[in-house]
Amino acid sequence: MPDYSISPTGEKFELPTPEDYDKEFKRLQEIVNSQRSLGREIVLVMGLGFVGAVMAAVVADAKNKSGNPTKFVIGMQRPSSRSYWKIPLLNQGIPPVSSEDPEVPLMIQRCVNENKTLTATFTYDALKLADVVVVDVQCDYLKESLGNVRDGRTEMEALEESLEIIGQNISPQSLIIIETTVAPGTTEQVAYPIIKKMFKKRGIESDPLLAHSFERVMPGRNYVSSIRDFWRVCSGVNQESTQRVVKFLNEVLNTEKYPLTVLDRPIESETAKIVENSFRATILAFMDEWSLFAERNGVDLTKVINAVKVRPTHSNIIFPGPGIGGYCLPKDGGLGLWAYRHIHGFEDDIFKITPLAIDINDTRALHVAQLTRDALRNMGRPIASAEILVLGASYREDVGDTRYSGSELIVRRLTEMGAELRVHDPYVLHWWEFEKQDEYPVSSHGLKRFFRGQEKLKDLRIEQNLEKALHETDAVIFAVRHKHYLSLDPDEVVINAGGPIAVIDCFGILDDDRIKRYFELGCEVKGLGRGHVKRIKDQVRESKEHK
Ligand SMILES: NC(=O)c1ccc[n+]([C@@H]2O[C@H](COP(=O)([O-])OP(=O)(O)OC[C@H]3O[C@@H](n4cnc5c(N)ncnc54)[C@H](O)[C@@H]3O)[C@@H](O)[C@H]2O)c1
């Protein structure tokens, strides 16, 4: 393992040495003493990822009615070579996550440098100083095959390890809030026994104060608001834990406008999260068959959806892009299935829709490769020697999060078919799923193993300059609805590409005028759920014949 950590922008930070730990704990003790004298509660957020980094800032920014900060927050991140850089960056007031929400950098800078209510650390000893510990470490679901979520398992080593460390260090009066999305049953049947055991070893007889309150954060334009100004669900393992978690959330979130839902038991809060995400995965998966129907019958699915949406009862119908992606939707239903068997011990199989939805979503992007192949074939260009540009690497618009994005599957399948791929994404500097494809996101569990001929993809680099990316490409795949792509001018695209290209619209990005213009320029256009393009093509051809 290297003894340094490199940030996505290339800054190199030495990892802490054993001598640094004592010094760091002393630094924290001093700050905590002075913060306590100001009457502030000490909150430790464990895991400075997409959720923890911004949750830490939201808590550090919380103020009482007189406008004074009520909490001092220590963000704790383990000092691995992959993640350590987040600590020095955050301590300079720079967010360790990128997003379109301008409030993220402003808030972190304000809390770290002006209000001085937020610091980041690598030492687990910091837990000794906390009144409240918020757990935001990952809990994964590892799939063994592509398109079969049943063939997989929950991977909660990081969470279990974190809980052990928490149990070894915290004061028995500290409240632990698990925000991580977990297999329903985890708080009571995994976390509670781990912490209780650690307490016993330390001679502590009291019950741990433990609660679950899942995150609904959406890292995007409303990143901060999606944590602070949004409804929360919570539940504690006992009455005192419930009272404490309710008090804490009331102090840090906008619960006046977005009231809390307090449930009787943590398994209900855990189940709520899984049901919520399985519901969304299902309504997206359901559209996949209608998307194919649309393509084969001259129907524009985007218009159908807009027509249906006007009914208030159907307003959440959504156009599915090339797969669903993101960290949560592809895995959360899997956590539920797994819990039923492995935490609760049932043998029968009650789940039908949830796994089917995930399987459909996990493989939807493969169809994009077929559309690209067909569009190129119509232009007389074989896919095996084509240069293809994918616009967007993230799983959704205007964020820099590539986890399980549909674009990854598109790149992998087209590479397998022999094409040369390039990628543009204004929000993503490194696509680690390729650059570090043998170790990321989890070693031996990347999507690489489901495709052949993937070795060269470790050299895939994201191009930030769109003009350069377009140069002499044979096909352009609009994969993500980043704002940069919504109004691209077909004439400019074709000029930059050096001639007519195949255009694949995966997300209802192109309006009919643009589709028409691409055809007029000699391009071929196809799109997920966009069966009407054939009609536009015929119209353009007819009008050319009449000239
Ligand atoms: N990303 C989202 O949009 C989102 C939305 C809602 C809920 N969630 C849930 O929130 C949880 C966290 O997600 P995330 O996206 O922030 O994950 P992430 O992988 O970005 O962050 C997890 C962080 O925890 C750190 N970590 C792991 N073990 C640790 C330890 N022992 N001590 C200190 N730090 C440790 C990791 O290094 C990493 O920085 C997951 O359960 C996820 O399902 C995520």
Side-chain angles (χ1 to χ4, degrees):
M1 287 292 276
D3 52 5
Y4 54 84
S5 170
I6 298 182
S7 76
T9 50
E11 246 185 298
K12 193 168 163 177
F13 299 97
E14 302 286 329
L15 294 187
T17 59
E19 300 82 69
D20 293 329
Y21 280 77
D22 274 352
K23 235 169 51 197
E24 174 67 356
F25 187 51
K26 284 202 184 94
R27 177 183 82 90
L28 294 173
Q29 272 176 316
E30 274 172 32
I31 308 178
V32 162
N33 286 341
S34 72
Q35 290 290 330
R36 277 204 203 286
S37 67
L38 295 169
R40 291 178 188 156
E41 202 174 30
I42 310 302
V43 179
L44 185 137
V45 176
M46 199 160 183
L48 295 175
F50 282 93
V51 176
V54 181
M55 176 63 184
V58 166
V59 177
D61 205 44
K63 295 190 180 65
N64 59 18
K65 293 226 158 74
S66 351
N68 293 319
T70 56
K71 316 279 175 207
F72 178 75
V73 180
I74 306 174
M76 220 239 85
Q77 171 60 50
R78 61 180 171 190
S80 62
S81 57
R82 200 164 94 194
S83 299
Y84 173 70
W85 57 267
K86 296 177 187 177
I87 299 168
L89 227 63
L90 202 115
N91 281 337
Q92 291 168 39
I94 301 168
V97 286
S98 74
S99 95
E100 260 297 275
D101 185 350
E103 211 179 339
V104 172
L106 287 177
M107 188 183 237
I108 288 183
Q109 135 75 17
R110 181 169 65 236
C111 292
V112 173
N113 297 325
E114 288 164 35
N115 301 344
K116 302 202 187 304
T117 51
L118 174 62
T119 192
T121 192
F122 49 84
T123 175
Y124 289 131
D125 282 340
L127 285 158
K128 298 186 169 77
L129 307 170
D131 302 306
V132 177
V133 176
V134 178
V135 182
D136 280 325
V137 307
Q138 71 275 24
C139 172
D140 288 317
Y141 184 83
L142 301 182
K143 295 171 189 165
E144 299 300 339
S145 25
L146 184 64
N148 181 10
V149 68
R150 289 173 197 278
D151 186 16
R153 67 188 158 85
T154 297
E155 165 60 69
M156 54 172 148
E157 246 172 49
L159 181 66
E160 286 176 312
E161 189 196 307
S162 304
L163 292 163
E164 257 185 52
I165 295 164
I166 291 170
Q168 284 160 358
N169 287 287
I170 55 160
S171 135
Q173 284 82 43
S174 303
L175 170 71
I176 306 154
I177 305 171
I178 299 179
E179 289 199 321
T180 301
T181 306
V182 292
T186 299
T187 302
E188 286 154 289
Q189 301 199 41
V190 179
Y192 181 86
I194 290 178
I195 296 164
K196 186 85 187 158
K197 203 163 123 197
M198 293 301 140
F199 273 16
K200 266 225 164 96
K201 277 195 185 163
R202 293 167 60 197
I204 300 166
E205 286 304 320
S206 60
D207 269 352
L209 297 172
L210 178 63
H212 186 259
S213 177
F214 61 88
E215 270 292 354
R216 286 170 162 153
V217 57
M218 295 287 282
R221 280 186 215 125
N222 304 312
Y223 204 156
V224 171
S225 266
S226 70
I227 294 182
R228 186 191 53 207
D229 310 310
F230 212 62
W231 297 272
R232 264 295 179 114
V233 177
C234 66
S235 181
V237 294
N238 50 34
Q239 217 182 357
E240 191 182 348
S241 306
T242 303
Q243 281 163 355
R244 289 271 305 271
V245 72
V246 167
K247 179 173 176 290
F248 175 78
L249 295 173
N250 277 330
E251 284 166 355
V252 298
L253 305 179
N254 184 1
T255 52
E256 253 172 50
K257 208 160 169 203
Y258 302 91
L260 293 177
T261 303
V262 185
L263 295 175
D264 294 340
R265 288 180 55 199
I267 190 174
E268 290 171 338
S269 164
E270 295 164 335
T271 305
K273 175 67 184 181
I274 301 298
V275 169
E276 198 167 293
N277 275 352
S278 300
F279 170 72
R280 199 161 165 88
T282 302
I283 56 171
L284 283 154
F286 151 74
M287 291 312 292
D288 181 60
E289 59 205 35
W290 290 108
S291 175
L292 288 171
F293 176 91
E295 282 167 37
R296 291 168 190 175
N297 292 287
V299 172
D300 183 2
L301 190 67
T302 65
K303 296 191 192 101
V304 170
I305 284 180
N306 288 338
V308 172
K309 235 181 165 145
V310 294
R311 285 188 62 167
T313 51
H314 290 52
S315 60
N316 66 356
I317 186 170
I318 5 180
F319 185 92
I324 308 312
Y327 183 39
C328 298
L329 260 55
K331 74 169 166 59
D332 287 357
L335 296 173
L337 263 62
W338 183 89
Y340 184 66
R341 191 168 289 243
H342 297 283
I343 294 184
H344 306 288
F346 289 97
E347 285 301 323
D348 60 343
D349 188 6
I350 55 170
F351 290 102
K352 294 180 179 61
I353 293 169
T354 300
L356 184 62
I358 292 178
D359 294 347
I360 290 170
N361 294 338
D362 278 357
T363 49
R364 177 166 159 84
L366 297 175
H367 182 51
V368 177
Q370 293 175 25
L371 293 181
T372 313
R373 175 201 63 199
D374 294 349
L376 282 165
R377 193 188 44 216
N378 289 355
M379 299 179 81
R381 299 179 195 174
I383 187 105
S385 57
E387 291 272 347
I388 299 173
L389 169 64
V390 177
L391 293 181
S394 319
Y395 80 95
R396 67 187 287 262
E397 70 274 15
D398 301 326
V399 296
D401 184 352
T402 55
R403 288 182 289 180
Y404 307 106
S405 76
S407 302
E408 180 183 350
L409 224 64
I410 297 173
V411 169
R412 293 204 179 281
R413 174 62 103 207
L414 285 169
T415 299
E416 186 175 70
M417 290 161 81
E420 291 294 327
L421 271 294
R422 13 174 144 154
V423 183
H424 173 272
D425 194 305
Y427 300 97
V428 182
L429 294 176
H430 290 275
W431 202 350
W432 299 120
E433 282 82 348
F434 292 109
E435 278 188 44
K436 298 195 172 178
Q437 59 179 350
D438 293 320
E439 39 190 296
Y440 186 83
V442 182
S443 59
S444 78
H445 271 85
L447 290 175
K448 177 190 168 198
R449 72 207 144 108
F450 301 125
F451 300 89
R452 61 179 197 90
Q454 303 289 295
E455 274 317 313
K456 64 179 178 186
L457 287 173
K458 68 179 188 313
D459 300 321
L460 187 75
R461 294 293 177 271
I462 304 241
E463 179 56 65
Q464 298 292 326
N465 181 322
L466 186 54
E467 269 179 40
K468 220 165 126 193
L470 279 163
H471 186 64
E472 291 194 349
T473 190
D474 293 299
V476 171
I477 300 177
F478 285 84
V480 186
R481 290 185 65 88
H482 286 329
K483 62 176 185 226
H484 310 70
Y485 306 144
L486 300 183
S487 52
L488 277 186
D489 176 19
D491 287 79
E492 276 178 30
V493 169
V494 171
I495 287 169
N496 283 319
I501 51 172
V503 177
I504 316 300
D505 182 0
C506 303
F507 239 127
I509 290 172
L510 302 177
D511 57 24
D512 288 0
D513 288 342
R514 287 199 174 79
I515 293 172
K516 183 170 171 234
R517 186 63 193 148
Y518 277 118
F519 279 124
E520 285 168 356
L521 292 165
C523 298
E524 183 66 28
V525 184
K526 288 194 179 289
L528 288 177
R530 313 219 58 194
H532 73 310
V533 291
K534 170 80 170 54
R535 202 161 55 240
I536 300 178
K537 183 179 173 177
D538 291 344
Q539 283 163 5
V540 171
R541 195 185 293 149
E542 265 170 41
S543 72
K544 269 188 185 161
E545 279 164 10
H546 285 108
K547 272 185 192 161

